[in-house]
Amino acid sequence: MSLLIVRLLVFLLLFWAGWQLWRVWERKQGAGQEHLGQEKKPHLDSESMVRCAQCGVHLPESSAIHAEPYHFCCKEHQKAFEADQ
Ligand SMILES: [Zn+2]
């Protein structure tokens, strides 16, 4: 009977130790990804963010309306900007 309890305790201890190791490992992985994300963001901003010539909002170049040399966030702002010219 006492042997069973010892086995149970050892099992629980191993389980707990494994869980702690997994948590530490997961935290390391998460920190690594966070670090990569922080390095990537300024690159993305300088590389592909454009400013709407009408309202000044910044948006990704891929989702902007291009009317060289200007960029717009929507067709309404492009029309409004061209009307002001
Ligand atoms: Zn706009």
Side-chain angles (χ1 to χ4, degrees), residues 1-13:
M1 190 59 191
S2 65
L3 187 68
L4 194 72
I5 290 166
V6 168
R7 275 176 157 183
L8 193 72
L9 281 171
V10 167
F11 174 77
L12 280 171
L13 194 73

Side-chain angles (χ1 to χ4, degrees), residues 66-83:
H66 302 275
E68 295 300 334
Y70 304 108
H71 301 281
F72 301 94
C73 65
C74 58
K75 282 200 159 152
E76 283 70 28
H77 283 175
Q78 185 186 2
K79 279 180 192 167
F81 185 82
E82 282 168 355

